Amino acid sequence: AASGDLLHELGRALDAAGGRRSVEASAQAFEEAMLPTFRTLPRLPGDRVDAGAARYLLYRAFLARHNWAVLGFESGGNAWNSSSPASVFGQAQAGEGLGAAFEERLAGGGLTLRECAVLAGTLE
């Protein structure tokens, strides 16, 4: 599925919580803020990043935007590993369905900048 469809896939969960508009606005702001860092990361075909790069990107974005070190994004002093950044949704209230949508994207060849931004906006 195209990256533009990710918000559509998440729509039911977001609409039920009344948060779709909020996520869209937040994702746009995250996308703009993450672009310079995204450009420096090694990318996969289709201008995508793997799980480790996505975790790094998200870690940096939340640290810069809110001074938050989100559990699940940090490296813990070790090398950035390939565990999924979507695992943070397992720790959030409505996490199961939301995390699965991001996991599918990662398994399908990585995440685009927009998908990373939607993940950040959803978590925020």
Side-chain angles (χ1 to χ4, degrees):
S3 64
D5 295 336
L6 186 56
L7 272 172
H8 178 72
E9 288 179 34
L10 299 173
R12 284 179 289 211
L14 295 173
D15 287 341
R20 184 179 177 127
R21 285 190 186 132
S22 175
V23 169
E24 289 173 346
S26 183
Q28 181 62 39
F30 269 110
E31 188 171 1
E32 292 170 11
M34 291 190 300
L35 180 59
T37 302
F38 184 82
R39 287 180 176 154
T40 69
L41 296 172
R43 287 192 287 284
L44 303 169
D47 208 26
R48 297 173 174 275
V49 294
D50 66 13
R55 285 180 60 231
Y56 175 76
L57 180 63
L58 290 159
Y59 173 79
R60 294 281 308 256
F62 276 99
L63 197 58
R65 185 171 169 123
H66 296 294
N67 202 27
W68 294 351
V70 178
L71 185 63
F73 291 160
E74 81 293 340
S75 69
N78 300 315
W80 290 94
N81 66 38
S82 61
S83 65
S84 172
S87 66
V88 298
F89 289 109
Q91 300 161 13
Q93 277 187 334
E96 211 171 284
L98 297 175
F102 291 105
E103 291 288 353
E104 287 176 22
R105 297 275 197 228
L106 274 169
L111 296 177
T112 64
L113 173 61
R114 178 67 179 161
E115 290 167 344
C116 287
V118 170
L119 193 157
T122 303
L123 184 60
E124 187 180 49

